[in-house]
Amino acid sequence: MAPVHERARRVGDLPTPALVVDRKALAHNLAVMAEALPGARLRPHVKAHKCTALAREQAALGHRAFTGATPRELLGLAVAGLGDDLLLANETVDAHRLRTLADCGARVTVAVDSVETVDAAADNGIEEVLVDVNVGMPRCGCRPDDAGRVADDARARGLAVRGVMGYEGHAVGIVERERRAAAVEQAMAELRRAHDLVGGDVVSAGGTGTYDLNTTATEIQAGSYPLMDGLYAELDLPFRRALSIVATVISVADAHAVADCGLKALAMDHGNPGIHGADVWFCSDEHVTFAPTTRPVVGDRVVVWPRHVDPTVALHEVIHVADGPGLDAAVVDTWAVDLRGW
Amino acid sequence: MAPVHERARRVGDLPTPALVVDRKALAHNLAVMAEALPGARLRPHVKAHKCTALAREQAALGHRAFTGATPRELLGLAVAGLGDDLLLANETVDAHRLRTLADCGARVTVAVDSVETVDAAADNGIEEVLVDVNVGMPRCGCRPDDAGRVADDARARGLAVRGVMGYEGHAVGIVERERRAAAVEQAMAELRRAHDLVGGDVVSAGGTGTYDLNTTATEIQAGSYPLMDGLYAELDLPFRRALSIVATVISVADAHAVADCGLKALAMDHGNPGIHGADVWFCSDEHVTFAPTTRPVVGDRVVVWPRHVDPTVALHEVIHVADGPGLDAAVVDTWAVDLRGW
């Protein structure tokens, strides 16, 4: 069967629910970021898009080093020829997956924050690590004052310690810019303290919300900026929302309508999605129920804007590429979401 | 490469995050339901498990008619030889998908609630429909007093109208049994009213939470009962939680620990998952951060209980089958989650 983009000529003809990227908005986002953080100053995080076709666009603009959250993300990048410098910005003690990464032919660096993660890396052929530091968000990472010990453990096991990483995830979503900047500075003071103990050339940190505020990091791990989402759209960022889900109205009642885009097509951890000119009531497995301002007709298409892009993309097999915004835009390509799973 | 269950002999050896079903709890749930609603009294909904291997277990106990929420669920069942009597309990106007269903060789009935959905079914070769009635939850379904008109439209287009369906989704989760029963009765009074106008042999309704309270329906569309989840576990149901996610502790701090099971491994629409003996703080893309009562060691496995099973299963490629509960249970099989997508 022909690819979907050869059967559906416009966004409004796609089978739904359909994940759609506006390639003009995407190109804008990629260009703005590449100008702000050229080349190796950005280490794009692929967890947000899970798509080697999109990673290729980032590489074409000069970002040849990538960040991933799962071994499979890194392996997919390596297979796609994007393995110049891959960082697993996450801890794992999975021997089989670490060994597969070590043998994949790419340059692979993994995050470590404990003797167990150091041992797992060393035991399975990994050669380079970053010491992951907790800079204020209660997730992975050692205490800043413990980073030197972790680095010593790693070097004692023969690992090259390239530097530190520390994600200020508690800061990236703060709407008010000054408060966000203050939270970044506080977090990065912790990371600098750890870096003093660890050494190395790399200080890896940051996200889309802090890409221009974090001046400590030698490289920013932004992931959401190409596609954007409802949460980040509330900030003062120069990136445009490029990813939406096109759905079909399948039922219309007096006060509400229903479209075929539910919990299995978009993530709900950051709350309900948005529909322009409508009040979204709730989502169920395969439905979004909303109160429209103008009563639609069954068969109409609606554009649904997800509040959190990362886990939304992970629910889809493909991203359709549109030549602009709206339902009349031409569908020009279909990209596999080929970095899903672990 | 050998299937995972031949490489991992016990649940605690699985690569994580791993979706695991306890086959003893599953067998209990299937047996209890088959006794309460034998044969065609139950039309299992496959949207909760999206797995033909599990549907085969339901069919082996005598339930040969199935419910699905997407065309792909029905097509997968047809391909698996489970196409005796398939109900798409959802509206669609997708011509290509309706035509594919009409030509798939299975007996296919689709829900209609408007002239547009009737026309789409008739135009694309569908032969049998149920009139979908809104019985109190604002989602799909026509008004009860409009059901006769929809049935007339369908018959005028040459469709056989088998009866009505109406899902009391606003009732299934009510914890207090008497209040739940009252809500079911109110909803089913609406459905009976519609059925009087429509005719036909089938009154299809119900869910796991109302399987024994709904005495109006000729068939119950329960889907969650084989696997269960955190929400349904709060009710007075005789079904056991059979589905969990095994995760690995990858980082341990003074007050919290982190395991590798996040938003891309479990759905959050009904809230945080549970971890026995721990207070779950939050989930991020690939992490659950929790405060344990006993400090774990990096590499320990934890069992994570999702709050909503349906969208959780949709995030996984396989379900591992364990010969009982706990991390020491033998892994005896791996089932593909082969009914994902649309």
Side-chain angles (χ1 to χ4, degrees):
Chain A
M1 188 153 55
V4 168
H5 73 274
E6 292 178 13
R7 286 180 282 138
R9 296 195 175 175
R10 53 188 282 284
V11 169
D13 299 328
L14 287 167
T16 57
L19 196 63
V20 177
V21 62
D22 167 357
R23 75 168 171 182
K24 290 180 178 163
L26 171 65
H28 166 86
N29 294 342
L30 295 176
V32 167
M33 184 63 97
E35 188 172 340
L37 298 173
R41 284 279 292 126
L42 185 76
R43 184 188 281 277
H45 208 313
V46 301
K47 79 185 176 81
H49 58 67
K50 285 186 173 283
C51 175
T52 52
L54 207 161
R56 270 196 202 93
E57 307 251 325
Q58 295 173 306
L61 289 174
H63 315 299
R64 299 285 315 176
F66 287 97
T67 311
T70 68
R72 200 188 282 189
E73 287 170 3
L74 267 60
L75 285 171
L77 290 167
V79 168
L82 296 168
D84 287 7
D85 184 356
L86 304 179
L87 169 62
L88 182 66
N90 195 2
E91 278 67 20
T92 181
V93 289
D94 186 312
H96 175 74
R97 287 174 178 155
L98 283 166
R99 175 61 63 181
T100 306
L101 284 180
D103 294 343
C104 79
R107 180 180 185 182
V108 170
T109 302
V110 305
V112 294
D113 70 352
S114 64
V115 64
E116 292 89 351
T117 47
V118 164
D119 284 344
D123 290 346
N124 293 290
I126 299 293
E127 295 176 0
E128 297 180 287
V129 297
L130 288 184
V131 176
D132 187 8
V133 181
N134 183 330
V135 295
M137 179 174 66
R139 211 165 68 187
C140 300
C142 65
R143 290 198 321 272
D145 59 10
D146 206 27
R149 185 193 59 79
V150 175
D152 290 344
D153 285 347
R155 292 189 178 107
R157 290 298 314 268
L159 295 163
V161 179
R162 295 182 67 187
V164 295
M165 63 162 269
Y167 177 53
E168 68 274 27
H170 56 301
V172 295
I174 298 174
V175 174
E176 199 209 320
R177 186 172 171 86
E178 275 186 40
R179 281 187 52 230
R180 191 160 79 245
V184 172
E185 175 47 32
Q186 191 175 20
M188 289 304 105
E190 298 289 312
L191 192 57
R192 288 192 297 270
R193 194 151 67 91
H195 186 227
D196 287 344
L197 300 170
V198 169
D201 297 331
V202 177
V203 179
S204 195
T208 293
T210 62
Y211 82 103
D212 65 337
L213 294 172
N214 189 326
T215 52
T216 293
T218 60
E219 57 179 42
I220 298 289
Q221 297 180 4
S224 298
Y225 78 96
L227 301 177
M228 289 289 285
D229 57 27
L231 188 74
Y232 270 129
E234 291 172 8
L235 273 57
D236 58 338
L237 301 173
F239 309 112
R240 300 176 190 159
R241 283 201 280 180
L243 191 83
S244 60
I245 302 167
V246 174
T248 302
V249 174
I250 56 170
S251 188
V252 178
D254 289 340
H256 74 269
V258 181
D260 61 350
C261 172
L263 306 174
K264 291 172 182 167
L266 54 81
M268 295 290 290
D269 54 289
H270 286 179
N272 278 339
I275 297 176
H276 185 70
D279 181 24
V280 171
W281 285 0
F282 65 96
C283 291
S284 356
D285 277 358
E286 300 289 357
H287 305 106
V288 53
T289 294
F290 60 101
T293 45
T294 308
R295 188 182 168 100
V297 174
V298 170
D300 283 355
R301 303 299 169 104
V302 293
V303 177
V304 182
W305 297 95
R307 188 130 180 94
H308 190 191
V309 69
D310 305 37
T312 294
V313 172
L315 287 161
H316 291 262
E317 296 171 9
V318 296
I319 303 175
H320 302 283
V321 184
D323 191 31
L327 297 171
D328 285 324
V331 180
V332 295
D333 207 350
T334 304
W335 291 343
V337 183
D338 53 355
L339 301 176
R340 302 196 293 173
W342 301 276
Chain B
M1 188 153 57
V4 168
H5 71 273
E6 292 178 13
R7 286 181 283 136
R9 298 198 173 170
R10 53 190 281 285
V11 169
D13 298 329
L14 287 166
T16 56
L19 196 63
V20 176
V21 61
D22 167 357
R23 75 167 171 183
K24 290 181 177 161
L26 171 64
H28 166 85
N29 295 342
L30 295 177
V32 167
M33 184 62 96
E35 187 171 340
L37 297 173
R41 284 279 294 126
L42 185 77
R43 185 189 280 277
H45 208 315
V46 301
K47 78 185 177 82
H49 58 66
K50 283 186 173 284
C51 176
T52 52
L54 208 162
R56 270 198 202 92
E57 308 250 327
Q58 295 173 307
L61 289 174
H63 315 298
R64 298 285 315 176
F66 286 96
T67 310
T70 68
R72 199 186 284 187
E73 287 170 4
L74 266 61
L75 284 171
L77 290 167
V79 168
L82 297 168
D84 288 5
D85 184 355
L86 304 179
L87 169 63
L88 182 65
N90 196 3
E91 278 67 20
T92 182
V93 290
D94 186 313
H96 175 75
R97 287 174 178 155
L98 283 167
R99 176 61 62 182
T100 306
L101 283 180
D103 295 343
C104 78
R107 180 180 185 183
V108 170
T109 302
V110 306
V112 294
D113 69 352
S114 64
V115 64
E116 293 89 352
T117 47
V118 164
D119 284 345
D123 289 346
N124 293 290
I126 297 293
E127 296 176 0
E128 298 181 286
V129 297
L130 288 185
V131 176
D132 187 8
V133 181
N134 183 330
V135 295
M137 178 173 66
R139 211 165 67 185
C140 298
C142 65
R143 291 198 319 273
D145 59 11
D146 207 27
R149 186 193 59 77
V150 175
D152 290 344
D153 286 347
R155 292 192 178 103
R157 290 298 316 269
L159 294 163
V161 179
R162 296 182 68 186
V164 295
M165 62 162 268
Y167 177 53
E168 69 274 27
H170 56 300
V172 295
I174 298 174
V175 173
E176 200 209 320
R177 186 172 170 85
E178 276 186 38
R179 281 187 52 231
R180 191 160 78 245
V184 171
E185 175 47 32
Q186 191 174 18
M188 289 304 104
E190 298 289 310
L191 193 57
R192 286 191 299 269
R193 194 151 66 92
H195 186 228
D196 288 344
L197 300 170
V198 170
D201 296 332
V202 177
V203 179
S204 194
T208 294
T210 62
Y211 82 103
D212 64 337
L213 294 172
N214 190 324
T215 51
T216 292
T218 60
E219 56 180 43
I220 298 290
Q221 296 180 5
S224 298
Y225 77 96
L227 300 177
M228 290 289 286
D229 56 27
L231 188 74
Y232 270 129
E234 291 172 8
L235 272 57
D236 57 340
L237 301 173
F239 310 112
R240 300 176 188 158
R241 283 202 281 180
L243 190 83
S244 60
I245 302 167
V246 175
T248 303
V249 175
I250 56 172
S251 189
V252 178
D254 289 340
H256 73 269
V258 181
D260 61 351
C261 172
L263 305 174
K264 291 172 182 168
L266 54 84
M268 295 290 289
D269 54 289
H270 286 180
N272 278 338
I275 298 177
H276 185 71
D279 181 24
V280 171
W281 285 358
F282 65 96
C283 291
S284 358
D285 278 358
E286 300 289 358
H287 304 106
V288 53
T289 294
F290 60 100
T293 44
T294 307
R295 189 183 169 100
V297 174
V298 170
D300 283 355
R301 304 300 171 102
V302 292
V303 177
V304 181
W305 298 94
R307 186 129 181 95
H308 190 190
V309 69
D310 305 38
T312 295
V313 171
L315 288 160
H316 291 261
E317 297 170 11
V318 295
I319 303 175
H320 302 282
V321 184
D323 192 30
L327 297 170
D328 285 324
V331 180
V332 295
D333 207 348
T334 304
W335 290 343
V337 183
D338 52 357
L339 301 176
R340 301 196 294 172
W342 301 277

